[in-house]
Amino acid sequence: MKYYLATNEVDVFHYGEMEDTCEFTTGQPVSFLYNTKEELVTALAGYGQEYQDPQVIDMQGLELPPVDPDQLD
């Protein structure tokens, strides 16, 4: 697992986790990859931002419950 942060360093902070084999692109001018969640949390704190667990939103804009990876087939 790796963690990403994409930001304009002012008021947009997109972040989350992804599998090691994934790649991402962003329209934000600055992006970072971290090996641990703690590194991501520290980076966000440096911008004065507090880490919040990511939310999964469906196509209607409704929040979906978290998925337990151990329950996937």
Side-chain angles (χ1 to χ4, degrees):
M1 192 67 61
K2 58 186 172 183
Y3 301 84
Y4 66 89
L5 170 60
T7 179
N8 67 359
E9 298 187 306
V10 177
D11 60 356
V12 175
F13 299 90
H14 300 165
Y15 58 89
E17 61 185 51
M18 60 188 181
E19 297 295 327
D20 289 336
T21 57
C22 292
E23 295 182 15
F24 79 102
T25 59
T26 178
Q28 297 305 314
V30 180
S31 62
F32 304 96
L33 289 175
Y34 304 100
N35 293 317
T36 67
K37 183 176 177 179
E38 291 75 23
E39 291 174 314
L40 170 60
V41 170
T42 299
L44 285 167
Y47 287 108
Q49 302 295 309
E50 183 177 333
Y51 177 87
Q52 297 178 10
D53 286 324
Q55 298 173 324
V56 178
I57 307 297
D58 70 8
M59 296 297 289
Q60 287 78 38
L62 302 173
E63 184 176 352
L64 299 173
V67 175
D68 181 355
D70 295 331
Q71 299 296 319
L72 298 175
D73 292 330

